Amino acid sequence: MLLLHGFGTDFDMNWRAAGWPRALEAAGRRVIGPDLRGHGASDKPTDSGLYLPEHFVADILAMLDDLGVNSVDVVGYSMGSRLAWELALTAPDRVRRLVLGGFGPANALAGLDTAEPGAGDSPFDHVYRTVAALPGNDAAALAACVRGQASRPFQEEPRPQGIPMLLVSGAKDTVAEGAAELAERCGASFVEIPGRDHANAVSSRVFKQAVAAFLEEGQER
């Protein structure tokens, strides 16, 4: 199981604190949880060109190669879902099943002035200000990450082919707006988490149960 965290967090904050490794390991899964570049214990460059999706994907593939892992089930959240999508496009033979949490086709950076993230009043400005203030985070690296991501907006086409896919989002998650429709267009499954928003959906038992059922379905085939 490869778990890819969201923007401004890291593996411990996004996944471990929400109980994911414990739940997955209890089900007999081996968990791989990197801190993505610019985050956690990884390097934090301040060149926005180093945060293009293909660089993240190259990091992930190099890590899997180093670990001797040929293929993985992938669960992403928010930015991690965008990168999981890119991984499935780039190396479909390495991805068995794909879960995209907190993710939809809308531009999460809409209304953001990338020259000065956090200075405005867009939804992502509020996100940036919150995460940039967290202990251990590097505001300059996160700003570079924002600019790199903004320079390569998500495109729904082409889509990953031949990989079973599940989308999960909170009913109040405005960042993942359109997730149900994206799932339908991709021929994927969709689960909505009642009462949860972008910040707290990841800790939901409903989310974990949906992923467990989706993975079990794959084992039965």
Side-chain angles (χ1 to χ4, degrees):
M1 288 294 309
L2 174 63
L3 303 182
L4 300 177
H5 64 75
F7 174 79
T9 68
D10 56 24
F11 173 74
D12 283 344
M13 194 186 312
N14 197 140
W15 301 112
R16 194 182 301 282
W20 280 84
R22 182 172 62 252
L24 291 170
E25 287 165 359
R29 295 275 174 169
R30 176 191 180 191
V31 174
I32 302 170
D35 287 348
L36 298 168
R37 61 170 59 195
H39 298 75
S42 288
D43 291 341
K44 297 179 175 65
T46 55
D47 177 353
S48 61
L50 297 176
Y51 291 97
L52 295 174
E54 57 263 34
H55 295 310
F56 285 100
V57 169
D59 289 344
I60 293 165
L61 291 173
M63 177 191 66
L64 295 178
D65 289 343
D66 286 346
L67 294 173
V69 175
N70 292 324
S71 62
V72 286
D73 296 315
V74 184
V75 183
Y77 196 75
S78 196
M79 184 183 78
S81 291
R82 163 74 192 283
L83 300 177
W85 176 287
E86 297 292 338
L87 175 65
L89 285 177
T90 303
D93 56 316
R94 309 295 293 269
V95 178
R96 293 190 299 258
R97 298 176 81 75
L98 183 62
V99 180
L100 308 178
F103 180 74
N107 180 8
L109 303 178
L112 177 76
D113 179 3
T114 57
E116 197 174 354
D121 199 38
S122 75
F124 199 85
D125 279 303
H126 291 280
V127 170
Y128 178 84
R129 285 195 292 269
T130 298
V131 300
L134 292 174
N137 275 352
D138 183 322
L142 292 179
C145 182
V146 168
R147 294 183 189 108
Q149 296 290 297
S151 71
R152 194 71 59 79
F154 172 71
Q155 300 291 328
E156 192 177 321
E157 298 281 358
R159 300 171 184 153
Q161 299 294 322
I163 300 172
M165 190 186 311
L166 167 69
L167 277 77
V168 183
S169 64
K172 298 180 179 180
D173 186 350
T174 56
V175 174
E177 185 177 350
E181 293 77 11
L182 177 61
E184 184 175 358
R185 292 192 293 271
C186 292
S189 302
F190 174 72
V191 171
E192 183 176 83
I193 307 171
R196 297 294 182 112
D197 59 23
H198 195 71
N200 61 20
V202 73
S203 63
S204 167
R205 182 180 300 177
V206 174
F207 193 174
K208 297 184 186 76
Q209 289 173 339
V211 170
F214 180 63
L215 297 177
E216 257 182 55
E217 180 185 309
Q219 290 178 324
E220 290 169 359
R221 290 184 176 179

